[in-house]
């Protein structure tokens, strides 16, 4: 029993593969998850602290093995193509009470700084909620 709902009776398994959009308008595409739980993909952020032109950036990740009706935990990293920053995400893929897939994530972003005395301002933390992005037909 999770979150007031019986997850055993949910008709769907939460699947990471596909296109997602978060609460800030950033989008990502997660490719097929292989037998070891590893996957690749791409991330297009809608927000940035740099003045550089935003570019699609590669992501690499892994999830725990799934079984029917599971809601897997996962993690992935994004090596930003347009800055010397790196972000790691961790989260869980849920199916809500309406059958919608939701990714609840927390992230750490590490920015490049010129000297060790600036280390204190180099890491940011946040949360994002992703929902499945359905193609417009």
């Amino acid at each position: 029993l999770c979150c007031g709902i019986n997850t055993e009776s949910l008709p769907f398994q939460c699947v990471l593969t596909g296109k997602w959009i978060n609460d800030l308008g950033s989008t990502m595409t997660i490719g097929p998850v292989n037998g070891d739980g590893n996957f690749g993909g791409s991330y297009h952020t809608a927000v940035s602290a740099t003045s550089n032109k935003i570019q699609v950036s590669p992501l690499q990740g892994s999830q725990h093995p799934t079984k029917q009706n599971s809601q897997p935990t996962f993690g992935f990293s994004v090596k930003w193509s347009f800055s010397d920053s790196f972000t790691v995400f961790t989260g869980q893929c849920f199916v809500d009470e309406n059958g919608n897939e939701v990714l609840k994530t927390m992230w750490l972003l590490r920015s490049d700084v010129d000297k060790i005395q600036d280390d204190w301002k180099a890491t940011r933390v946040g949360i994002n909620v992703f929902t499945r992005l359905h193609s417009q037909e």
Side-chain angles (χ1 to χ4, degrees):
L1 194 63
C2 168
C3 316
I5 60 172
N6 183 352
T7 56
E8 297 299 317
S9 66
L10 290 173
F12 302 110
Q13 175 181 356
C14 195
V15 177
L16 289 177
T17 301
K19 296 180 189 266
W20 300 88
I21 187 166
N22 72 17
D23 43 315
L24 298 174
S26 299
T27 58
M28 70 175 168
T29 301
I30 295 178
V33 179
N34 71 19
D36 293 328
N38 299 319
F39 58 88
S42 60
Y43 198 104
H44 188 245
T45 186
V47 295
S48 175
T50 178
S51 60
N52 298 343
K53 182 181 181 209
I54 293 174
Q55 300 173 20
V56 175
S57 299
L59 70 80
Q60 292 289 321
S62 186
Q63 75 169 38
H64 275 284
T66 61
K67 49 188 184 265
Q68 191 171 1
N69 294 334
S70 69
Q71 301 185 101
T73 56
F74 61 89
F76 64 87
S77 58
V78 179
K79 180 182 174 189
W80 299 109
S81 299
F82 58 93
S83 72
D84 292 330
S85 298
F86 208 91
T87 301
V88 293
F89 288 79
T90 187
Q92 188 168 357
C93 188
F94 290 103
V95 178
D96 70 15
E97 59 275 1
N98 298 316
N100 298 312
E101 294 165 296
V102 177
L103 306 181
K104 298 281 282 183
T105 68
M106 177 170 261
W107 53 264
L108 286 172
L109 179 141
R110 176 64 189 211
S111 298
D112 180 51
V113 291
D114 292 329
K115 56 187 186 253
I116 197 168
Q117 291 84 355
D118 291 334
D119 184 64
W120 65 271
K121 64 180 180 179
T123 303
R124 296 181 179 147
V125 63
I127 58 170
N128 284 124
V129 176
F130 292 84
T131 54
R132 185 155 311 270
L133 186 59
H134 299 283
S135 57
Q136 304 296 321
E137 299 173 329

